[in-house]
Amino acid sequence: MDLGVKPVSFTSSSASWKSADGVPDQFPAGLRVLVVDDDPTCLRILEKMLKNCLYEVTTCNRAEVALKFLRDNKNGYDIVISDVHMPDMDGFKLLEHVGLEMDLPVIMMSADDSKNVVMKGVTHGACDYLIKPVRMEALKNIWQHVVRKKKHEWKEKDFEQSGSVDEVERQHKPPEDVDYSSSANEGNWKNSKKRKDEEDEAEERDDSSTLKKPRVVWSVELHQQFVTAVNQLGIDKAVPKKILELMNVPGLTRENVASHLQKYRLYLRRLSGVSQHQNGLGSSFMGPPDAPFGPMSSLSGVDLQALAASGQLPPQSLATIQAAALGRAATKSAIPVPLIDQRNIFSFENPKLRFLDGQQQQNNNSKQVSLLHGIPTNMDSKQLATLHQSAQSFGSMNMHVHSQASQSNSLLTQMVQPPSRAQILNEINGSHALNLPSSAGQPVLSQAVPNAVLGQNGIENVRRPAFTSVSQPSTVVDFSRSQSTEFPENSFSLVSNSGISNLTSKLQDEVNSEMKASRGFVPNYDVFNDINQNRTQDWRLQDVRSTFEAQQHSNGRGSLDVSSSVLIQQQFSSNQKSGQNRIPPVRKAAFSVADGLGNTSNIGQQLSSSLVDNPSRIKAERLPDMGFQNGLFSEHFGQEDLMTAILKQQQGGMEPIENEFGFDGYHLDNLPV
Amino acid sequence: MEGHQLQHQAACMRKALFDQGYLDDQFLQLEDLEDEANPNFVEEVVKLYYSDSARFIRNIELTLDKNPFDFEKLDDIMHQFKGSSSSIGAKKLKTECTQFQEYCKIGNFEGCMRTFQEVKQEHAVLKKKLESYFQLARQAR
């Protein structure tokens, strides 16, 4: 097959192609097409047309039969063309089945050309939509979908595994101990792939760009592996060579690991520099891995502590945040694992979560990042909840949550929301800001506003438990984590300062990429939406938020989500508005919570950490199509303001941190590879 | 001569079908699919269509008889019928189908009934015309 790709997955199809033609060069001749249409006339015509294209055609007039064919012969087909309107099964349903079970490209057909139907096709993952009557020209080029899909598939797999494009054909699976098993990721990837068409252009872009140049993308999964390896070896003994061996990721070089280790060390140092518990803090972003991030406070507590410790965050703020967080997540005993946010950071890079679809999100923990992708423009509480859930799940997945929570809790309680903050919050959202119930279990998040506030200000959101993630100036706490709200595992790891920077950068990267696709923001939002649907979105940020939110309301999940989403949105909007480099809303939202950091990106993640939304900090370079955020932003603007306010407060302190963390270096855009 | 004449006749008939709006581009697509292996492809498809489309007509009639009136279902059936008809290039018929669907959408029973009659008529007329044409074309070959 001279496709110029060497995907593993191609083997069967290429083999079949070969066998069909006898000559690989004949591609796309021999493409094995399965056509499903209950109309015999259409079916006959399509069959003839496809045969004229030299494709190998199998027809059936019932969806059930088609599925049977597909199941019986897993690799027997390359592409499926299906009518939308069928008596025994809806075409979209078939589309979903095929996507989930076989992951083949599916083309939908219908005489109906109304926009919403076509949109439905897109959202369900159809790789194309043909209007009947179908013409020969339309069928001639369907092979492109096959190629494209295969190409993406293995890019994704490759990324998952090694994060490097060096070895594209690898199907390596990361070690079991990794939280995010690659298989899970892969599954997710597959789903996301399906959704790819619709929303993840950025992803694709990443893939393709990665393919073009050897860049190691430190995805959440990959980072997780890395962290696991490091922990196994012991941070002192962790040398790149050994880490590399432990990780056993094909295509990853010692240099990659070495540079990553360096960053990681810096990050840890910062964390510890901030407070003794720092280590936990760092990881606390993610919120307690176990369970619902309920204890947002822990998250935030940790973060806040970190922040406070680092002096970045005014004690009061920190306290406030923590209190808020604690209030929400009273139960949180374990502070979200800082690692989490690391993961978030890293995971952001691979926003595979397609929130839009939401479907995928559930599957992807690993896809945390993807939250960004599918972020719907309207984050509502539900969404937040979703985010939380994901965050939570993420948290659980993530790492080890240290019991920083307890610490943070204490911190939180001490914190009293500074009036200024409140004011800020108020300003931002108007009432919403206040809504960020630091201690009030109000589902602040439930309202978009709170989220917005969170998102935007990141700072102000301190009130929100989620914000407590402020622990580290730059760390965005994944409050959401604690909240096991509906958030699909959003690993909102509050990113500690260093984490945040990383996160930011990652986010940025992701966001950037997403943004490019103009999706970046959307994912976050989508996530929220999806969250409601219980998608697992690895939205760390969301976790954070959820954490807080959880506090706020037991089921306030949504709110958290909202807040995170809001945060994220805020981020975006704030970014937009302020032109700051906020982390792409999506991510940022989670990050925004990242106090101090002002990493908008972080805020995105951590709604809770929205505190951190330092406008300046977040070098969210891109404010990708803020368009979709509009909906969100308007409401969440408050958050942004809050965050900004908070950030401003911390600006002085933060600034240094910023530099310290080398945010610049980590700008998503510039994420070093 | 005769053959030539017949061919000419067939060609004229075909042209008329297009000119009078009975057939559209899609019919050309079908013709393009004809080859040595399938010399009567178009005729086969049209036959297939007519044997299948009868059920649509029937279903609509049944639904029109029912009370209360189910516009949605009518629209649904008509949608399928339209899809099928358009695949053979039945232009006029397609237009009538669309009209019918419009009436369904606004819930105009009278309009539906009237248009349905048109649909039935077009359906029958086209069938006859195509049958004649194919017959002639076969003879002319």
Side-chain angles (χ1 to χ4, degrees):
Chain A
M1 217 79 279
D2 35 320
L3 293 178
V5 291
K6 29 174 214 163
V8 180
S9 47
F10 261 100
T11 16
S12 61
S13 30
S14 51
S16 62
W17 284 328
K18 279 184 192 168
S19 55
D21 295 321
V23 183
D25 291 348
Q26 295 277 320
F27 179 81
L31 194 72
R32 296 157 312 161
V33 186
L34 177 66
V35 189
V36 190
D37 194 336
D38 63 315
D39 186 312
T41 314
C42 293
L43 199 61
R44 182 83 184 84
I45 296 172
L46 280 168
E47 185 189 23
K48 189 71 178 68
M49 282 183 173
L50 291 165
K51 282 208 170 119
N52 276 26
C53 293
L54 302 180
Y55 296 152
E56 223 181 76
V57 188
T58 309
T59 60
C60 53
N61 59 358
R62 304 236 356 257
E64 296 291 352
V65 174
L67 274 175
K68 187 175 179 307
F69 281 171
L70 289 164
R71 285 172 186 147
D72 288 346
N73 197 352
K74 279 278 169 156
N75 286 322
Y77 303 96
D78 299 308
I79 189 165
V80 178
I81 303 181
S82 170
D83 188 35
V84 164
H85 203 305
M86 288 189 290
D88 64 332
M89 188 195 288
D90 183 32
F92 294 117
K93 225 165 166 51
L94 174 65
L95 167 59
E96 279 178 23
H97 277 298
V98 174
L100 287 169
E101 297 177 35
M102 295 109 205
D103 195 28
L104 287 176
V106 181
I107 297 179
M108 301 303 294
M109 289 187 297
S110 179
D112 193 347
D113 62 349
S114 57
K115 198 175 108 179
N116 48 328
V117 182
V118 178
M119 176 63 85
K120 205 172 168 195
V122 172
T123 53
H124 279 72
C127 60
D128 204 352
Y129 190 101
L130 306 178
I131 308 292
K132 283 183 175 177
V134 178
R135 297 170 68 86
M136 190 65 174
E137 298 87 71
L139 293 177
K140 270 212 189 106
N141 290 324
I142 61 171
W143 59 267
Q144 63 175 296
H145 301 295
V146 180
V147 175
R148 193 178 297 122
K149 194 160 186 103
K150 298 264 191 239
K151 196 160 180 255
H152 282 306
E153 258 173 19
W154 46 243
K155 267 204 205 152
E156 277 183 348
K157 285 191 184 137
D158 192 56
F159 285 166
E160 284 174 16
Q161 320 274 341
S162 61
S164 100
V165 282
D166 297 336
E167 312 207 14
V168 180
E169 57 227 276
R170 199 141 0 96
Q171 302 260 336
H172 173 81
K173 291 226 183 251
E176 298 294 346
D177 55 348
V178 178
D179 285 355
Y180 295 97
S181 66
S182 55
S183 47
N185 291 338
E186 276 184 340
N188 290 337
W189 290 119
K190 283 198 176 181
N191 289 333
S192 49
K193 275 199 78 77
K194 262 208 105 149
R195 318 287 169 232
K196 230 180 210 278
D197 296 332
E198 23 186 328
E199 44 190 300
D200 237 352
E201 285 177 358
E203 215 179 2
E204 291 180 38
R205 255 183 257 180
D206 276 338
D207 290 348
S208 41
S209 58
T210 316
L211 200 49
K212 290 181 189 125
K213 37 184 173 137
R215 240 190 77 172
V216 175
V217 172
W218 282 91
S219 66
V220 178
E221 295 78 35
L222 194 60
H223 177 74
Q224 190 50 39
Q225 281 176 254
F226 169 82
V227 172
T228 310
V230 168
N231 290 335
Q232 244 179 278
L233 295 165
I235 190 68
D236 308 327
K237 296 209 180 68
V239 285
K241 188 148 187 277
K242 293 220 177 99
I243 298 173
L244 185 64
E245 278 168 25
L246 271 180
M247 281 178 74
N248 193 16
V249 172
L252 195 63
T253 68
R254 198 203 72 81
E255 286 70 33
N256 296 143
V257 175
S259 71
H260 193 73
L261 178 65
Q262 195 180 34
K263 293 178 206 149
Y264 184 65
R265 284 220 177 97
L266 277 171
Y267 160 80
L268 290 180
R269 208 171 301 140
R270 284 192 205 124
L271 289 183
S272 30
V274 175
S275 83
Q276 299 90 307
H277 317 288
Q278 275 328 306
N279 287 337
L281 278 180
S283 44
S284 42
F285 290 137
M286 301 297 281
D290 37 312
F293 290 100
M296 289 204 313
S297 50
S298 50
L299 266 177
S300 41
V302 175
D303 292 327
L304 288 177
Q305 287 181 6
L307 272 177
S310 54
Q312 304 294 330
L313 190 61
Q316 300 157 342
S317 329
L318 195 58
T320 312
I321 299 175
Q322 291 195 351
L326 283 173
R328 311 279 168 79
T331 62
K332 222 175 177 101
S333 50
I335 299 253
V337 182
L339 286 181
I340 300 180
D341 54 269
Q342 282 188 5
R343 271 211 289 209
N344 287 331
I345 303 183
F346 293 112
S347 54
F348 270 82
E349 288 193 335
N350 299 308
K352 298 285 185 186
L353 286 180
R354 289 176 196 250
F355 293 116
L356 283 180
D357 266 54
Q359 305 161 8
Q360 306 146 5
Q361 284 146 17
Q362 294 166 342
N363 325 312
N364 315 331
N365 254 341
S366 48
K367 284 205 192 184
Q368 303 164 359
V369 185
S370 30
L371 281 180
L372 293 176
H373 290 294
I375 299 195
T377 50
N378 305 309
M379 302 249 278
D380 51 13
S381 50
K382 281 184 24 166
Q383 296 172 346
L384 282 178
T386 320
L387 279 175
H388 288 304
Q389 290 176 352
S390 32
Q392 291 170 357
S393 45
F394 192 88
S396 39
M397 294 184 39
N398 292 335
M399 350 221 231
H400 359 276
V401 177
H402 304 283
S403 27
Q404 311 269 344
S406 43
Q407 295 165 359
S408 46
N409 284 331
S410 50
L411 267 179
L412 285 175
T413 42
Q414 295 163 19
M415 305 245 282
V416 176
Q417 271 190 4
S420 56
R421 213 185 283 279
Q423 288 165 10
I424 298 175
L425 285 173
N426 287 331
E427 303 168 12
I428 305 187
N429 315 295
S431 55
H432 291 294
L434 290 178
N435 287 332
L436 290 183
S438 43
S439 40
Q442 345 165 357
V444 178
L445 293 179
S446 46
Q447 306 146 36
V449 177
N451 297 328
V453 175
L454 281 175
Q456 296 200 347
N457 302 316
I459 310 175
E460 287 309 343
N461 289 322
V462 176
R463 301 247 225 132
R464 301 161 142 272
F467 282 87
T468 47
S469 53
V470 184
S471 54
Q472 302 203 9
S474 52
T475 38
V476 179
V477 179
D478 280 341
F479 297 119
S480 39
R481 284 297 172 85
S482 22
Q483 311 278 344
S484 42
T485 52
E486 294 138 34
F487 251 10
E489 331 202 307
N490 290 318
S491 22
F492 266 80
S493 38
L494 290 179
V495 185
S496 50
N497 287 328
S498 49
I500 298 184
S501 45
N502 293 334
L503 195 48
T504 317
S505 43
K506 295 231 180 229
L507 278 183
Q508 292 191 348
D509 268 344
E510 286 185 330
V511 176
N512 288 334
S513 51
E514 289 181 340
M515 297 294 207
K516 287 175 187 161
S518 13
R519 297 237 210 188
F521 292 90
V522 177
N524 286 334
Y525 296 119
D526 284 337
V527 175
F528 290 124
N529 288 321
D530 291 327
I531 296 184
N532 290 327
Q533 304 164 22
N534 289 327
R535 299 207 184 182
T536 335
Q537 305 179 356
D538 295 322
W539 240 55
R540 309 245 189 127
L541 290 178
Q542 306 214 342
D543 284 339
V544 174
R545 292 185 79 100
S546 30
T547 320
F548 321 165
E549 295 299 339
Q551 297 176 357
Q552 299 174 2
H553 35 261
S554 46
N555 72 299
R557 307 208 282 192
S559 50
L560 259 184
D561 294 336
V562 176
S563 29
S564 29
S565 46
V566 172
L567 277 178
I568 303 183
Q569 296 172 358
Q570 295 287 357
Q571 304 268 347
F572 282 114
S573 51
S574 52
N575 289 334
Q576 287 177 342
K577 295 186 185 144
S578 52
Q580 302 155 354
N581 299 323
R582 299 227 186 194
I583 304 182
V586 174
R587 309 221 201 161
K588 303 247 178 116
F591 288 105
S592 48
V593 179
D595 40 29
L597 286 186
N599 296 323
T600 35
S601 49
N602 292 334
I603 298 193
Q605 289 192 342
Q606 326 172 347
L607 287 179
S608 44
S609 42
S610 45
L611 297 176
V612 191
D613 189 4
N614 276 328
S616 52
R617 303 251 336 207
I618 310 250
K619 299 190 190 172
E621 284 67 30
R622 17 168 333 87
L623 295 180
D625 313 353
M626 295 292 200
F628 51 80
Q629 305 164 352
N630 293 336
L632 285 173
F633 290 120
S634 46
E635 345 180 51
H636 305 305
F637 191 76
Q639 284 186 356
E640 208 178 35
D641 295 335
L642 285 177
M643 292 297 276
T644 322
I646 295 179
L647 283 175
K648 286 202 174 97
Q649 289 179 19
Q650 306 163 357
Q651 279 300 336
M654 304 290 263
E655 290 303 332
I657 295 183
E658 216 173 272
N659 300 330
E660 188 187 314
F661 289 130
F663 252 97
D664 306 343
Y666 286 109
H667 286 199
L668 291 183
D669 293 341
N670 311 325
L671 190 61
V673 174
Chain B
M1 300 310 156
E2 213 179 82
H4 183 73
Q5 215 177 10
L6 282 174
Q7 267 176 23
H8 182 73
Q9 274 182 338
C12 281
M13 196 182 269
R14 180 181 169 282
K15 189 169 181 299
L17 286 171
F18 280 100
D19 291 345
Q20 290 165 20
Y22 286 101
L23 296 177
D24 61 22
D25 250 14
Q26 189 60 21
F27 194 81
L28 293 174
Q29 290 268 317
L30 297 188
E31 286 181 330
D32 282 347
L33 291 173
E34 266 185 359
D35 49 29
E36 276 153 20
N38 303 74
N40 301 316
F41 180 72
V42 187
E43 191 178 351
E44 277 168 30
V45 171
V46 171
K47 270 209 181 104
L48 184 57
Y49 163 76
Y50 272 101
S51 63
D52 185 57
S53 58
R55 65 179 169 103
F56 290 121
I57 304 280
R58 216 171 335 137
N59 279 346
I60 295 181
E61 274 175 338
L62 287 172
T63 315
L64 281 172
D65 274 344
K66 281 210 184 87
N67 253 334
F69 218 48
D70 192 345
F71 285 111
E72 208 175 299
K73 186 168 178 203
L74 283 173
D75 182 71
D76 196 58
I77 304 170
M78 188 49 84
H79 173 79
Q80 296 180 63
F81 179 56
K82 184 173 122 182
S84 199
S85 307
S86 67
S87 71
I88 64 156
K91 193 172 175 185
K92 260 197 193 171
L93 187 50
K94 193 164 124 178
T95 311
E96 293 299 331
C97 289
T98 308
Q99 184 63 56
F100 181 90
Q101 282 185 294
E102 291 298 318
Y103 280 123
C104 281
K105 284 195 182 77
I106 60 173
N108 185 335
F109 179 76
E110 279 299 322
C112 280
M113 292 296 273
R114 244 184 305 118
T115 313
F116 181 59
Q117 297 310 314
E118 295 289 325
V119 166
K120 273 203 291 192
Q121 198 184 358
E122 284 301 330
H123 185 249
V125 163
L126 182 64
K127 184 175 181 189
K128 286 224 164 55
K129 286 191 182 271
L130 284 174
E131 272 173 1
S132 314
Y133 166 67
F134 286 131
Q135 201 174 20
L136 196 56
R138 240 185 296 122
Q139 283 172 2
R141 225 171 280 153

